[in-house]
Amino acid sequence: MDWMALSDAEWTAVRLSLRVATVAMLSSLPLALLAAMVLARGRFWGKSVLNGLVHMPLVLPPVVTGFVLLLLFGRRGPIGAFLAENFGIVFSFRWTGAALACAVMGFPLMVRSIRLSIDAVDRKLEDAAATLGAGPVWVFLTVTLPLILPGIIAGMILSFAKAMGEFGATITFVSNIPGETQTLSSAIYTFTQVPGGDAGAMRLAVVSVVISMGALMLSEIFAAFAAKRSVTA
Amino acid sequence: MSLEVEARHRVGAFTIDAAFTSDGSVTALFGRSGSGKTSLINIIAGLLRPDSGRIVLDGDVIADSERRIFTPIHRRRFGYVFQEARLFPHMSVRKNLAYGRWFAGAEKSASQFGRVVEMLGIGHLLDRRPSTLSGGERQRVAVGRALLASPRLLLMDEPLAALDEARKAEILPYLERLRDETRIPIVYVSHSVAEIARLAERVIVIENGRVQASGDAAVILSQPAAVHAMDWREAGALLEGVVESHDSAHNLTVVRAGECLVRVPQLFVPPGHSVRLHIAARDVMLATVRPEGISALNVFEGTVIDLSPDEKASIDVRVQCGGNVILARITALSRDALQLAPGKSVHAIIKTVALDH
């Protein structure tokens, strides 16, 4: 099994990918929950525009998304410059930029998943909670949120899996710097570009398959658990 | 308690324009399905905001469109028992029960919890999930949950409609206890005469979103407006009576109504307690001579007051029996065979088991 031993550089790529995917997933969660709630429940002018905007990364070529991020969040981009000057947050050519790219790419998947579960919530239960004295915030926290938890978890795992595989937007936005922005996917790509890199590409591919399968199985377990819990009464 | 409701609301082509007041402990909103009674109770609860109207409970203005007052649902403290129990599927029965208690302030917690659980007979269900309960059990838990939120008014929207006859019979006694033991006024929506006859003090008959009649249950339920709103098969007479004695050996209760002693399946109320019996016209037989060797326990002597004109194959005969008016539904053929006419003396025969609601 010698050929399966990962080199330090490869381990770095794996660790970086896990970190980028985790940060991307967690940081996009609050915003995705808000967007899903607004899209599922809100009634306002321009809702279809918001819906389109949220789903944009799903239909745009990833390279275009990466390029737009570069324009907006790059060092001279309007948002990037503002954040760098006022908060010292820099995205371009940093792992944080990779996380941002992954978060943006996974966002529509997470929103969709959460929104579907919000649509499935029996609003009569929320009415019942209100008649028992719960104000809107409490209704959300004690009834809606627990009932959509399966959708939230599924959305998180989808976003995580998407981040693990993200390539186009990341490489366009933050390039392919070993130890900083070289994720699993970019590392595999790099291996395939050099003579004799097949073995390395194969090793990382196996790691990638294992992580993806693990995430998928985890989501199945959560889904089964949630289905058992939320049989409607 | 005094409840004052006034509401005008349009939904598509349907208009609700109703106003009523009630000071009874149980006020029934009675009418066919689609008459607007559920919309009306939702307006009282605050789930539906009417185009205009006002709701006043004990002098406290809950909503008034003219004065732009609208108390949100969660601040009204009106308990609501829905047709489907609407228990929270992600919580145990115990947590479901405790849900509203928490918002009401847990000051009188433990003893009240125990009393409600005991009254509804749900102590053995506390650690179960709602999905594992039967329909009747769910509905009892839903009643308990509403009660434990310490409501000022309890709204019930056909709480028994989704249940079969056996489950209804299981829950009705609990609702009677609820009415008699708690001092919480109840607004009860139903299209079932049997339920309303047993539970309600005041009846508001709703038809096409409007109030057709309102007043004391015994009076209203024998009026044409109410008869029109009820299922034809359910038409009958309402007897006001007092529990005389119990025959526990045979699981029977004797109720005195006027000069009649009516034997009914056991009622769990003490002697001296007043009860109301609904006797469906189709459960009453007539005989011109006193029947002998018959299993029916209730045979009352009376005189025919009047007969309804021919409709379908059957007619309704009103019989005066010891201070009560009993309605009997017989065929036109029997009327002719027995030569029934106003003033003729007859015996009304009612099977005790038919009185088991």
Side-chain angles (χ1 to χ4, degrees), chain A residues 155-186:
Chain A
M156 286 170 74
I157 286 170
L158 272 176
S159 158
F160 182 83
K162 176 73 193 170
M164 285 302 294
E166 218 303 307
F167 176 68
T170 312
I171 206 162
T172 312
F173 182 30
V174 292
S175 185
N176 186 359
I177 307 162
E180 186 65 43
T181 65
Q182 189 177 68
T183 59
L184 205 53
S185 304
S186 352

Side-chain angles (χ1 to χ4, degrees), chain B residues 88-108:
Chain B
F88 303 125
H90 56 292
M91 297 179 191
S92 66
V93 167
R94 188 189 301 277
K95 284 199 174 140
N96 264 284
L97 288 170
Y99 189 85
R101 217 156 55 102
W102 192 52
F103 294 106
E107 73 278 4
K108 47 192 164 177

Side-chain angles (χ1 to χ4, degrees), chain A residues 2 6 10 28 37 46 54 57 89 108-109 114 119 124 135 151 161-162 164 219 227 232-233:
Chain A
D2 246 9
L6 297 179
E10 288 159 13
S28 57
M37 204 65 191
V54 165
I89 302 170
L109 298 171
I114 297 174
D119 286 340
K124 292 172 170 181
K162 176 73 193 170
M164 285 302 294
S219 81
T232 33

Side-chain angles (χ1 to χ4, degrees), chain A residues 80-93:
Chain A
F82 174 80
L83 288 176
E85 270 172 37
N86 295 287
F87 302 99
I89 302 170
V90 178
F91 287 110
S92 52
F93 306 109

Side-chain angles (χ1 to χ4, degrees), chain B residues 37-80:
Chain B
K37 35 189 203 326
T38 295
S39 304
L40 204 51
I41 202 170
N42 281 340
I43 287 172
I44 299 174
L47 288 169
L48 186 63
R49 195 169 179 160
D51 298 337
S52 70
R54 49 190 249 123
I55 293 157
V56 182
L57 178 67
D58 290 331
D60 190 358
V61 179
I62 306 290
D64 188 341
S65 57
E66 265 173 35
R67 289 160 58 190
R68 299 184 175 280
I69 296 172
F70 185 84
T71 311
I73 314 166
H74 63 280
R75 299 228 186 85
R76 294 194 177 193
R77 291 188 41 223
F78 289 0
Y80 199 146

Side-chain angles (χ1 to χ4, degrees), chain B residues 246-318:
Chain B
H246 292 289
D247 177 0
S248 49
H250 297 104
N251 292 322
L252 292 178
T253 296
V254 181
V255 174
R256 173 177 291 282
E259 289 158 28
C260 302
L261 288 176
V262 190
R263 286 185 179 78
V264 300
Q266 193 159 17
L267 298 172
F268 295 94
V269 287
H273 204 275
S274 63
V275 291
R276 224 177 285 130
L277 301 174
H278 174 250
I279 301 176
R282 64 189 155 94
D283 290 331
V284 181
M285 278 190 277
L286 294 179
T288 46
V289 293
R290 186 169 193 90
E292 293 293 331
I294 188 168
S295 68
L297 293 174
N298 302 305
V299 179
F300 306 124
E301 219 177 315
T303 49
V304 174
I305 302 172
D306 56 15
L307 301 92
S308 70
D310 283 29
E311 268 178 52
K312 309 175 190 178
S314 57
I315 59 155
D316 287 346
V317 183
R318 289 209 298 156

